[in-house]
Amino acid sequence: MSDRISEVQSQALEAINNASDLNALQEVRNTYLSKKGLIPALMKEMKDLPKEEKPAFGQKVNVCKQEVSEALDKKQQELEVAATALKLEKEKIDITLPGDSIRIGTSHPLMLIQKEVEDLFLGMGYKIAEGPEVEQDYYNFELANIPQDHPARDMQDTFYIDPNTLLRTHTTAMQMRELEKAHGQTPIKLICPGKVYRRDDDDATHSHQFMQCEGLVVGEHVTLADLKGTLEFLANKMFGEGRQIRFRPSYFPFTEPSVEVDVSCPFCNGKGCNVCKGSGWIEILGAGMVHPHVLEMNGFDPDKCSGFAFGVGLERVAMLKYGINDIRNFYINDARFLKMFDRFD
Ligand SMILES: [Zn+2]
């Protein structure tokens, strides 16, 4: 009888050993340890034995059951570890494979230029002023020394919303708001970048909407030489070292004297090329000393302080800097055009 137990045990251990996966092992467990399994069946045989043999037999069956059970548990653990390893191997992800490329937007070229100009002036201690695009006639014209019936109003064809409200034609309106806010206190040192609007037929060099960045400095003993130094610095930063600037007399109602400012052509170094039409100079901005009347109207004493102002068209700068020949490109949102500027971002 004892041999039967050893036989069942060795068969069970061999079957456990041969089980190749968890299902096969479960079958072995059922065959030997379930209620109707071979080992409980041995236990049932105990009742036919003589009384004195029963304890030894029972003990032996129990040992057999325990060893088979332990072997099953051990094998189960091994198979589970192997199964997990196999699963991990199968689901392995190659993280070196290139991913799907996601199309992302880029900064608009005008925003790039605006940021460049802003950074430049912030570095010189200027503050950035912002104001409404829908503006009052008072700030856009009256305070800027352009009263009703002034011929300069014809220079800027205006989108009127009602007789006193308009889309600002220049960022000068913001300068006027800032001057008024200062209540005669100097110094003032600010730039005002922003969109402006004029009734214009759009073509390669004109747009009914464009961007300006104006600068304003008011304080004691501010001179034309300060203006020239500032603009020279701006030209060198925007168009590369070695740029020279020159002033030509001009007229703006809010500055006296007024000048047009040319920068020496960065493409031919002043020798003459297509871009500068052979002149060696490119017109880049308008500027001047703040008109004493403008200072007065805004509550400043022109005998005690003076100021300079300048205004640059950001499209013009961007067109020169990036070699763009049609201003409409900035406003038609052609992704192919905009995409070209991701390298500057
Ligand atoms: Zn040139």
Side-chain angles (χ1 to χ4, degrees):
M1 209 54 205
S2 172
D3 288 347
R4 281 264 298 137
I5 299 172
S6 301
E7 201 187 318
V8 168
Q9 184 171 340
S10 63
Q11 276 171 1
L13 292 177
E14 198 187 335
I16 290 166
N17 204 28
N18 291 338
S20 58
D21 58 34
L22 289 165
N23 285 339
L25 191 70
Q26 187 58 42
E27 253 175 60
V28 177
R29 192 184 289 275
N30 293 343
T31 309
Y32 288 90
L33 288 182
S34 68
K35 266 186 187 169
K36 291 180 179 170
L38 294 173
I39 293 172
L42 284 173
M43 217 41 139
K44 280 175 199 153
E45 288 175 23
M46 193 160 69
K47 66 179 192 304
D48 303 328
L49 288 175
K51 198 180 175 187
E52 61 278 15
E53 286 179 28
K54 278 184 183 172
F57 181 87
Q59 201 181 8
K60 210 165 177 202
V61 175
N62 272 335
V63 169
C64 165
K65 185 181 173 184
Q66 197 176 345
E67 283 182 10
V68 169
S69 181
E70 278 171 10
L72 276 166
D73 290 347
K74 189 164 167 265
K75 182 74 177 180
Q76 175 146 358
Q77 219 170 20
E78 280 173 24
L79 287 174
E80 274 168 1
V81 170
T84 306
L86 187 71
K87 195 172 176 216
L88 285 175
E89 182 61 33
K90 268 190 189 164
E91 293 174 3
K92 198 165 144 190
I93 295 166
D94 184 353
I95 54 165
T96 64
L97 278 174
D100 294 336
S101 64
I102 299 164
R103 288 177 62 182
I104 51 167
T106 55
S107 292
H108 193 279
L110 292 176
M111 291 298 108
L112 293 173
I113 295 288
Q114 182 178 340
K115 187 169 183 310
E116 206 176 324
V117 173
E118 283 178 358
D119 286 348
L120 206 67
F121 282 98
L122 284 172
M124 291 193 284
Y126 284 61
K127 74 166 200 168
I128 296 172
E130 284 183 351
E133 288 173 31
V134 177
E135 186 54 280
Q136 295 169 35
D137 184 282
Y138 178 67
Y139 291 106
N140 195 80
F141 288 130
E142 295 285 333
L143 277 185
N145 206 21
I146 314 174
Q148 288 291 342
D149 304 325
H150 190 289
R153 289 212 178 198
D154 298 336
M155 285 162 62
Q156 303 180 359
D157 271 336
T158 309
F159 288 111
Y160 276 96
I161 289 161
D162 63 43
N164 293 314
T165 317
L166 46 80
L167 294 182
R168 68 182 178 201
T169 58
H170 47 196
T171 46
T172 311
M174 274 198 273
Q175 293 192 36
M176 297 310 132
R177 282 179 174 273
E178 291 293 323
L179 280 174
E180 190 187 58
K181 234 195 290 178
H183 296 295
Q185 296 298 307
T186 58
I188 292 172
K189 225 175 151 185
L190 54 89
I191 56 165
C192 19
K195 292 186 202 106
V196 300
Y197 305 85
R198 292 186 196 175
R199 284 166 44 155
D200 219 338
D201 291 329
D202 292 1
D203 62 23
T205 53
H206 296 87
S207 170
H208 65 279
Q209 172 192 332
F210 57 101
M211 289 192 74
Q212 281 190 331
C213 181
E214 292 192 2
L216 174 69
V217 173
V218 179
E220 287 176 28
H221 314 300
V222 176
T223 68
L224 203 62
D226 297 322
L227 171 63
K228 192 166 185 195
T230 305
L231 296 181
E232 243 160 19
F233 180 77
L234 174 67
N236 277 290
K237 288 291 174 191
M238 297 305 288
F239 297 108
E241 293 300 317
R243 291 306 99 216
Q244 290 176 317
I245 60 166
R246 70 175 186 189
F247 286 174
R248 280 180 294 112
S250 185
Y251 170 76
F252 303 110
F254 31 87
T255 48
E256 178 59 35
S258 302
V259 290
E260 293 282 355
V261 184
D262 297 339
V263 59
S264 61
C265 179
F267 302 99
C268 62
N269 253 329
K271 289 191 195 78
C273 68
N274 279 343
V275 181
C276 60
K277 298 189 181 79
S279 71
W281 295 93
I282 292 174
E283 186 186 319
I284 197 73
L285 47 81
M289 299 305 290
V290 180
H291 199 296
H293 190 218
V294 171
L295 289 175
E296 225 165 29
M297 276 193 294
N298 283 291
F300 292 82
D301 182 350
D303 291 331
K304 290 191 181 145
C305 65
S306 53
F308 68 69
F310 58 87
V312 59
L314 296 181
E315 284 84 354
R316 176 106 175 106
V317 176
M319 286 168 87
L320 285 170
K321 212 170 147 72
Y322 300 134
I324 298 160
N325 53 19
D326 193 325
I327 195 171
R328 290 169 290 196
N329 281 324
F330 293 118
Y331 294 104
I332 54 177
N333 291 330
D334 185 331
R336 291 167 300 180
F337 170 77
L338 298 173
K339 185 78 189 144
M340 293 194 297
F341 298 92
D342 58 353
R343 64 185 185 277
F344 299 104
D345 220 343

